[in-house]
Amino acid sequence: MRFLQTLLHQAVRIEPDAAEDERGRFERSFCAREFATAGLPAAFVQHSQSCSFAKGTLRGMHFQKAPHGESKLVRCLRGCVWDVIIDLRETSPTYLHWQGFELASSNRHQLYVPEGFAHGFQTLCDDVEMGYLISTPYAAEFSSGVRHDDPAFGIVWPLPIAAISSRDLGWPDYL
């Protein structure tokens, strides 16, 4: 695996090292030793998946509040998404900055999202499946989010929104 620093402090894009032969391809999607060598906490206690049916679906921007903050390792298992993270850590040099990444089953890239970041994505095609390794069990009372169109961030989404939850539309202004 290749661990590539993003523009946001401590967020990392991960590219696979694949072995290919006449049978196909084999690659590791996670290795605790390699994550430790890269300085990334990697105690994932929950694995979740989401399926989105329509191109343009937006999920996010989600996070869990302390003391149930979570880090995530996200990967597109089927299809393609525009994956966005926002640094919400007040002491971070990249506080309130965001960055987007194309995650696709074809490029097999993953994104390590540190604790204290909001995370979300927009589907770029129909029938998308995402996989998440998560460091902390889901705690509904600590689940939170920020709006996808909050002017505090100025996120640019690639497509008109085809579907979004009422909860995601209802987050208050961040600042």
Side-chain angles (χ1 to χ4, degrees), residues 59-72:
R59 292 179 181 258
M61 302 294 298
H62 305 143
F63 63 94
Q64 283 198 163
K65 296 183 273 188
H68 294 278
E70 60 189 7
S71 58
K72 299 177 188 174

Side-chain angles (χ1 to χ4, degrees), residues 12 34 64 76 79 86 92 112 118 125 132 134 136 142:
V12 177
E34 289 185 42
Q64 283 198 163
C76 186
I86 307 169
S92 171
Y112 180 84
C125 62
Y132 314 75
I134 305 169
T136 305
F142 293 92

